[in-house]
Amino acid sequence: MAKPIVAIVGRPNVGKSTLFNKLTGQRLAIVEDTPGVTRDRIFCDCEWCGHKFLLVDTGGIDPRTDDGLLVHMREQAQIAIDSADCIIMVGELGAGVTAQDQDIAGMLMRSGKPVILAVNKCDKVGEPPLEMYEFYSLGIGEVVPVSSVHGHGTGDLLDAVCAHLNFEDAEQEEEDRIPVAVIGRPNVGKSSLINRILGENRLIVANEAGTTRDAIDTLVENKYGKFIFTDTAGLRKRGKVEDGVERYSVLRSLAAVERSRVCVIMIDATVGFTEQDSKVAGYAHEQGKGCIIAVNKWDAVEKDSYTMDAMRKQLEEDFSFMSYAPIVFISAKTGQRLDKLFETIHFVDVQNGTRIPTGALNEMLARATSRVQPPSDKGKRLKIFYMTQSSTRPPTFVAFVNQKGLFHFSYQRYIENQIRENFGLTGTPIRMMIREHGDGSAR
C-alpha cells in the first residue's frame, strides 16, 4: 500500500498553496496574490508525529465557470478529491462563507471522503474570532482556525487529518527511484508526455505557452524501473521572462534539473533545433546530468525512409557540445517509442553512475598515449603519470601530469573520447581534472 493521500482544495486565492508550503516545510508551490497561480496538482511528502502521508495542492475550484483553464483546474481538483483519503477544504476568514464555498462543500460531501475545514487567515493568537463560526453552516465536519502565514493552528489541523488516516499499511522502505526532469522550451509537449505515460490527464495541457507553472513530480513504475518524472515550466530567454510568477517557475525548473539524475531534453520535431534548445541542454550539461534528446511530435512530420537519419545527423551537429546524448524520436500524442525512452533513461542513469577501476583506466591510458603521443612545447613533452576516477554523477577523472600547461584541450578531448570508446558512458558528460605531480590544486 502507498502512503495515505491528503488533498487541499478550495476556491481561488484563499491561501491553499501557502498552507501547503507551511505543512510540508518547503517552498514547493508558487505563492502570489493572483488567482489561478496553482494550476496542476502538486505532490509532496508530509510528516506529523512520526506518520507520513502525501499532501496534494490543487488549483482553485470555481464550480460555476466556463473558462477553459479554470475548467481544467476544476478537473484536476476533482481527480485529487477522488484519489484522496482525507480532504482539507480551505476557507477565508475575511470573506466569510461564499456561494463558491457552498458549491465546493456540496461537491466534497458527495465524495464521501472525510473533510476538515481549515478557516485561513485567523492570524491572531488566542480565542478564534466569532466570524469563524459562520463556517459551521457548511455542515461538512470539523472546523479548525489556521494561519497559513504564521503557522497558528496547523498542529491542530494535522492532528485532525491524521485521525482520519490509516498508516498501518503504508510502505516503510524508501524506494530507489530515478529522478527525471523533463525540460525544454514552452509548448514542446512536456506535460503531454507525462499524461501519456500515466494514461490520465495528470497535468493541464493547452495550446498556449506557460500553462505549466510549477515543477510537478510524478511517480512511475514499470518493467524498466522506478522513476520520478518532474514536468517543468518551459524555459524561455531571460529577456522574455516577464511576470513574477514566470520568474519563480523558471527557478523551479532549474531546481528540478539540479535534483534530477537524468534530463529528458524535449524539442519540437515540427520546429527543429532553436538557440533556446541549446541553452536548455547546456544547463543540464553543466550540471553533469545524464541527458537524452527526445524529439517530440514525430507523428506530425511528413517523412520518408531518409527523414529520421537526416534529422539525427542535423541534431548531432546542432548538439555537437553534447555528442554523448542519445537521440530518441517520440510522440507524446500517440505513445510512439515511449518504451524506447524508458529503456534509454534507465541505461543513461546507469552510465552516469558508472565507476571505472583505476587499473582498467590506466591500461586504457597506456594504449591511448602510445597510439597518439602527448603534445610537447619548447622541448618539454607532456607526461600523464596515471589517472583515477574521483567521483560519479557525472563520472569525474583526475589526471596526474608533469605540467598542466602542456595538457592542451585537444588532447584532453582525445583522452575523453578514448574513455568513451573503451567504457561507454553514453548519455553522460565527463569531467576531467588536471593535477601536477605532487600538486594539491586542480583545474
Side-chain angles (χ1 to χ4, degrees):
M1 294 288 290
K3 282 177 278 201
I5 297 173
V6 177
I8 300 178
V9 301
R11 59 185 176 81
N13 216 32
V14 291
K16 298 182 298 299
S17 294
T18 308
L19 181 62
F20 176 86
N21 287 341
K22 181 63 71 174
L23 295 181
T24 59
Q26 302 184 52
R27 292 181 60 84
L28 289 177
I30 297 173
V31 175
E32 189 155 296
D33 290 330
T34 308
V37 169
T38 301
R39 296 179 173 182
D40 297 297
R41 287 170 284 157
I42 305 166
F43 295 74
C44 185
D45 286 331
C46 188
E47 184 172 355
W48 182 248
C49 295
H51 296 305
K52 292 183 179 180
F53 56 90
L54 200 61
L55 194 64
V56 186
D57 186 24
T58 63
I61 303 173
D62 188 346
R64 302 182 182 189
T65 186
D66 293 324
D67 177 85
L69 196 55
L70 290 174
V71 169
H72 280 307
M73 290 160 62
R74 187 169 67 220
E75 290 171 355
Q76 290 295 304
Q78 185 63 59
I79 293 171
I81 291 166
D82 293 341
S83 59
D85 298 293
C86 181
I87 298 162
I88 299 172
M89 176 181 167
V90 182
E92 184 189 351
L93 181 71
V97 176
T98 67
Q100 281 177 298
D101 289 328
Q102 291 171 340
D103 291 340
I104 294 167
M107 186 172 151
L108 297 181
M109 282 191 280
R110 287 192 294 274
S111 74
K113 305 290 178 71
V115 181
I116 293 98
L117 177 54
V119 181
N120 192 24
K121 304 186 183 177
C122 294
D123 296 332
K124 293 182 180 177
V125 181
E127 288 295 314
L130 293 174
E131 297 89 339
M132 188 203 76
Y133 293 98
E134 180 187 354
F135 285 86
Y136 281 97
S137 66
L138 292 173
I140 60 169
E142 191 172 349
V143 179
V144 180
V146 299
S147 170
S148 57
V149 172
H150 303 295
H152 306 328
T154 52
D156 293 336
L157 176 62
L158 289 169
D159 283 340
V161 166
C162 290
H164 291 286
L165 301 178
N166 178 14
F167 296 99
E168 292 180 6
D169 298 325
E171 278 184 333
Q172 296 300 315
E173 71 274 5
E174 289 294 322
E175 295 177 318
D176 182 24
R177 295 184 181 270
I178 301 171
V180 182
V182 182
I183 61 175
R185 296 181 296 109
N187 214 29
V188 293
K190 300 182 293 295
S191 297
S192 298
L193 174 64
I194 304 294
N195 286 340
R196 168 59 62 173
I197 288 169
L198 288 176
E200 62 164 303
N201 289 326
R202 161 74 168 77
L203 305 173
I204 294 172
V205 178
N207 290 324
E208 56 186 79
T211 306
T212 299
R213 291 279 179 82
D214 288 283
I216 299 158
D217 289 348
T218 302
L219 277 61
V220 177
E221 185 173 342
N222 56 29
K223 63 182 179 181
Y224 300 102
K226 299 173 182 178
F227 309 88
I228 302 174
F229 277 86
T230 305
D231 179 38
T232 62
L235 299 172
R236 300 201 290 169
K237 291 182 181 178
R238 186 169 295 178
K240 291 188 177 180
V241 176
E242 296 163 358
D243 60 25
V245 171
E246 188 173 355
R247 280 198 296 275
Y248 296 144
S249 300
V250 170
L251 290 173
R252 297 287 194 279
S253 298
L254 298 180
V257 171
E258 288 174 11
R259 61 190 175 92
S260 69
R261 294 203 318 232
V262 177
C263 289
V264 175
I265 302 152
M266 290 190 71
I267 68 169
D268 187 334
T270 62
V271 175
F273 175 82
T274 69
E275 182 189 350
Q276 190 60 10
D277 291 320
S278 172
K279 285 181 165 45
V280 170
Y283 187 77
H285 170 79
E286 289 165 10
Q287 294 294 313
K289 306 302 178 181
C291 293
I292 298 164
I293 298 165
V295 185
N296 190 29
K297 306 184 185 179
W298 190 240
D299 59 304
V301 174
E302 289 187 18
K303 44 192 171 292
D304 55 31
S305 55
Y306 303 103
T307 308
M308 184 180 288
D309 287 339
M311 191 161 198
R312 186 186 299 277
K313 187 175 180 181
Q314 182 60 52
L315 288 172
E316 285 171 353
E317 290 180 18
D318 295 332
F319 288 98
S320 57
F321 65 95
M322 52 189 308
S323 56
Y324 56 82
I327 300 170
V328 182
F329 295 84
I330 66 168
S331 169
K333 184 177 179 181
T334 67
Q336 185 181 17
R337 294 194 191 87
L338 290 195
D339 281 355
K340 176 68 174 175
L341 179 63
F342 274 109
E343 189 179 334
T344 308
I345 290 169
H346 186 271
F347 177 71
V348 164
D349 181 61
V350 170
Q351 298 291 296
N352 190 241
T354 294
R355 184 171 289 279
I356 301 169
T358 301
L361 196 59
N362 285 284
E363 285 175 17
M364 178 280 302
L365 180 64
R367 291 194 301 272
T369 52
S370 64
R371 188 179 301 122
V372 177
Q373 269 206 333
S376 62
D377 184 37
K378 297 178 182 177
K380 187 88 171 174
R381 185 170 296 281
L382 171 71
K383 289 182 182 176
I384 307 175
F385 299 112
Y386 71 98
M387 287 180 68
T388 186
Q389 184 175 353
S390 60
S391 62
T392 61
R393 303 196 186 284
T396 302
F397 301 94
V398 182
F400 292 87
V401 303
N402 59 335
Q403 194 172 321
K404 287 181 185 178
L406 295 173
F407 205 159
H408 299 152
F409 173 78
S410 58
Y411 201 73
Q412 285 185 43
R413 177 59 60 87
Y414 165 68
I415 295 297
E416 179 181 319
N417 289 339
Q418 290 300 303
I419 291 172
R420 291 191 186 280
E421 192 176 303
N422 284 268
F423 304 108
L425 302 184
T426 302
T428 179
I430 289 176
R431 299 281 184 266
M432 189 79 74
M433 302 172 70
I434 316 302
R435 287 183 180 167
E436 289 185 5
H437 194 58
D439 181 11
S441 64
R443 184 176 72 197

